[in-house]
Amino acid sequence: MCTVNLQGLKEILKDIWAFSIALDAGNNAGTAYLDLRMRCYYKNFLQNLHLLAIPMRERHTGAYQYDLIVNALDILAPNWRYQLIGVSSDGASTMTGCIQGTVSRLARECHTPIFRIWCGAHQLDLVIKKAFNGLCNERFLNIVTGVTGHLRRQQNLISDMKCACPTFVLTRWISMGKLLKWLKEKRIRLLQHFEEKTACSPSTEWWITIMIIQPLVKRIEKTFISLQGLNTLVCEQRKQLSQLGTDIMSRCNIKGPISVEEELEFKAQLQQKPLHGFILGRYCVSQKEIVDAINEVGGFVQLSMDQFCDSDDNADRAKHQEIVSSFANFGLQIVTGVMKIVVERDARNSGTEEIPPVLPLDLFNVNSRLFTASLQQQRIRLRQKLSDEAIEQIDEQFRQLRIAVREETGLKAVLEQAHTRENVQSFDECWSPLGTKYSDLHRFCAGMASVMPGTSSVEADFSLISWTKDPNSQRMTDFSLESILHCKQYDRLQKLLFND
């Protein structure tokens, strides 16, 4: 099975002008693996395929991982030094170090520049983790851990509710979404339970925090899911992250990015009146606006916050202010973090220029010089498969497309409809209205679109490895495990190779 699949992958790699890889190292079920996936455009569709899960017997240094990858690619794609157009990683120092990192070594080995991608979903995960760690002066997560542990031990409660409290894994922040949703839905029944178990009962302000951050986490989950598609484009990932930042700003009434003058004015107001509002970087929100956002969550939150605010007890008023401050800082942390995410990286792992546009409408709007520059940058890579005449035809079709969109009645509207047909833009859907009229330009853009926006598909491989190699299967050999991974894509590869 492995032999047949690997030979099929080699045939595919032989026929294409560009492909990208995503790689990640991890310890699964007691064994360290370097997982390698590739994406390319083949048979009119973007293909995301597993290459190898390579066992690692030495320290996970950049040099060692580089040698493993080169040994695999030299066999599967002998011309990879010309074909490799992008490498995606999780941003670990062993991957992205500017001298010794695996990605840096691969970039130096290639004959033409490659796109370096730091997984957008991973960066978003780091942003959310930081925001949660600072919630309620770091007490929130400690209480969450204690409450979930208590609830999962209450067998009578589980039997009565016919469901158990979801688990919360500190290293998997998306699990927080399921937990918050469950706590919000079961709040009334859980409050009844805690009336009997007062020693373990969380405070009212903790419940309020659960209620006000759950909608934000639900919105963040939506973006996480969209970023993890097998064929998600880098440009689409950028749009999804930008939209997430905009939506969180709207829900929290946050303003920004503010000018330097506005920032100085806001800070001056804070010096005169510390409770005027909150600011982080170039984003700010007033006290009144953040309270209005909290009141939008629901009746329980409104009534509870009013009781704290109107109380004669200074401790209650302090609780009110702590909730407001925590929610404001939580929202500001997410917005500033999300707006700083840049997936395209340079040799020093700093943010760099965006990958050139690959969708028809984006090509229509791009500056002609920018397209010419991107085509020239890929000329050496293209020459491995195309003649100079064919490369010039790409440029010609680009200009023909721009004229057609501008002058042909209804074409722009059709393309706009294709661009907005799905929540997440699809390369194939966006190009489908044009048929084969711009086939050379289509093929060029498809190669550029093969750059993978992250490592989510690699992490899916790791999940399968962990599931397959459970405690009862620890003696399973690495070759048997690789066979299982390849079995999952055997039928698909056979259809790709033998169906026209």
Side-chain angles (χ1 to χ4, degrees):
M1 184 70 70
C2 284
T3 303
V4 172
N5 273 16
L6 291 173
Q7 183 61 42
L9 290 167
K10 186 170 184 175
E11 293 298 318
I12 291 173
L13 288 166
K14 185 172 66 175
D15 289 344
I16 57 179
W17 75 269
F19 72 94
S20 71
I21 60 173
L23 47 98
D24 196 7
N27 291 295
N28 295 79
T31 304
Y33 293 98
L34 177 65
D35 195 73
L36 193 62
R37 292 188 70 94
M38 73 104 168
R39 191 163 82 170
C40 66
Y41 191 78
Y42 186 74
K43 295 287 182 74
N44 300 319
F45 292 99
L46 283 174
Q47 310 291 346
N48 189 319
L49 299 164
H50 169 74
L51 288 180
L52 285 171
I54 309 172
M56 293 195 288
R57 311 300 187 192
E58 301 177 14
R59 288 182 57 218
H60 304 181
T61 63
Y64 177 57
Q65 292 176 155
Y66 163 80
D67 288 338
L68 293 176
I69 295 169
V70 169
N71 290 339
L73 292 180
D74 280 345
I75 296 172
L76 291 172
N79 204 34
W80 70 268
R81 290 168 180 81
Y82 285 102
Q83 293 173 288
L84 186 62
I85 195 172
V87 180
S88 304
S89 72
D90 63 356
S93 58
T94 55
M95 292 288 183
T96 59
C98 60
I99 297 177
Q100 302 295 333
T102 305
V103 178
S104 298
R105 291 171 179 271
L106 289 170
R108 289 195 295 269
E109 186 72 14
C110 291
H111 298 314
T112 53
I114 66 171
F115 296 106
R116 304 161 180 247
I117 303 297
W118 179 4
C119 177
H122 182 78
Q123 292 188 67
L124 179 58
D125 189 68
L126 295 177
V127 169
I128 305 308
K129 179 179 180 180
K130 183 178 180 181
F132 269 114
N133 282 337
L135 197 60
C136 297
N137 298 320
E138 302 183 0
R139 295 197 312 273
F140 179 78
L141 291 180
N142 293 333
I143 299 174
V144 167
T145 303
V147 168
T148 54
H150 167 79
L151 292 175
R152 290 183 65 80
R153 292 192 297 270
Q154 307 306 305
Q155 296 301 320
N156 290 337
L157 178 65
I158 294 172
S159 177
D160 179 47
M161 297 177 65
K162 296 181 173 56
C163 62
C165 177
T167 57
F168 167 55
V169 185
L170 286 172
T171 56
R172 298 289 296 177
W173 295 98
I174 199 167
S175 67
M176 176 64 80
K178 297 178 181 178
L179 175 60
L180 294 180
K181 180 182 177 183
W182 188 85
L183 289 170
K184 182 178 179 180
E185 291 176 349
K186 309 297 182 183
R187 177 178 59 85
I188 295 177
R189 177 63 184 88
L190 294 176
L191 286 174
Q192 294 172 355
H193 167 77
F194 283 119
E195 286 177 359
E196 304 171 1
K197 307 282 185 178
T198 55
C200 306
S201 178
S203 63
T204 301
E205 55 266 33
W206 183 83
W207 280 108
I208 294 174
T209 304
I210 290 287
M211 301 295 285
I212 60 179
I213 68 171
Q214 191 272 334
L216 299 188
V217 174
K218 181 179 179 181
R219 175 62 186 86
I220 294 165
E221 273 191 324
K222 179 181 176 182
T223 298
F224 263 120
I225 294 170
S226 70
L227 298 183
Q228 294 175 350
L230 289 176
N231 293 325
T232 301
L233 303 176
V234 174
C235 64
E236 177 60 22
Q237 178 175 247
R238 194 184 308 120
K239 292 176 184 176
Q240 291 290 326
L241 289 168
S242 177
Q243 187 61 53
L244 172 63
T246 301
D247 289 349
I248 299 298
M249 287 177 63
S250 175
R251 295 188 184 204
C252 298
N253 295 328
I254 293 172
K255 295 181 179 178
I258 57 177
S259 65
V260 175
E261 292 77 14
E262 290 173 321
E263 180 183 352
L264 293 174
E265 181 183 354
F266 195 90
K267 289 181 177 179
Q269 291 175 327
L270 286 177
Q271 289 180 344
Q272 297 175 4
K273 187 180 179 182
L275 296 182
H276 170 69
F278 308 88
I279 187 169
L280 182 62
R282 297 180 61 194
Y283 297 87
C284 65
V285 59
S286 71
Q287 174 91 359
K288 180 182 181 303
E289 288 167 333
I290 199 67
V291 170
D292 288 344
I294 291 173
N295 287 334
E296 287 293 324
V297 173
F300 164 75
V301 172
Q302 287 181 28
L303 295 173
S304 299
M305 291 293 284
D306 288 345
Q307 288 177 3
F308 283 144
C309 185
D310 299 337
S311 174
D312 295 330
D313 190 340
N314 289 334
D316 284 343
R317 292 198 295 272
K319 291 175 183 177
H320 178 275
Q321 186 57 38
E322 182 180 11
I323 294 170
V324 172
S325 300
S326 293
F327 185 60
N329 290 321
F330 183 76
L332 286 168
Q333 285 278 4
I334 292 173
V335 169
T336 55
V338 168
M339 293 306 192
K340 289 179 181 177
I341 293 177
V342 179
V343 297
E344 297 96 338
R345 296 281 157 167
D346 62 15
R348 296 184 177 275
N349 203 31
S350 301
T352 187
E353 296 179 357
E354 298 176 355
I355 291 178
V358 296
L359 300 179
L361 270 185
D362 295 336
L363 290 172
F364 171 71
N365 294 317
V366 75
N367 182 282
S368 178
R369 283 185 171 274
L370 292 178
F371 179 83
T372 300
S374 67
L375 182 60
Q376 288 300 113
Q377 187 182 48
Q378 302 300 326
R379 184 173 286 273
I380 295 175
R381 189 174 280 120
L382 287 165
R383 276 178 171 168
Q384 304 306 305
K385 293 292 180 182
L386 303 175
S387 64
D388 286 335
E389 290 79 7
I391 296 173
E392 291 303 311
Q393 188 64 21
I394 294 172
D395 185 68
E396 177 62 24
Q397 289 184 4
F398 164 71
R399 297 172 202 289
Q400 290 175 3
L401 173 64
R402 286 163 62 87
I403 293 172
V405 173
R406 189 182 302 114
E407 298 180 357
E408 290 184 17
T409 304
L411 179 58
K412 187 175 182 180
V414 171
L415 292 175
E416 287 175 344
Q417 183 179 6
H419 273 239
T420 57
R421 190 173 299 155
E422 302 288 342
N423 291 331
V424 178
Q425 289 177 342
S426 162
F427 179 85
D428 304 313
E429 288 287 341
C430 290
W431 275 93
S432 61
L434 298 175
T436 59
K437 187 174 182 180
Y438 305 96
S439 58
D440 295 314
L441 177 63
H442 184 189
R443 184 184 183 191
F444 170 71
C445 291
M448 302 286 283
S450 68
V451 177
M452 302 173 78
T455 59
S456 57
S457 56
V458 175
E459 292 174 4
D461 284 346
F462 282 139
S463 297
L464 180 60
I465 290 172
S466 297
W467 178 81
T468 303
K469 202 169 183 179
D470 59 26
N472 298 319
S473 308
Q474 289 296 303
R475 294 185 179 181
M476 180 179 288
T477 64
D478 298 318
F479 186 76
S480 298
L481 188 63
E482 185 66 49
S483 298
I484 293 173
L485 292 170
H486 273 289
C487 278
K488 287 182 65 65
Q489 63 183 23
Y490 175 78
D491 289 340
R492 180 182 171 195
L493 277 174
Q494 294 302 300
K495 291 177 182 178
L496 278 177
L497 292 166
F498 300 112
N499 291 355
D500 293 332

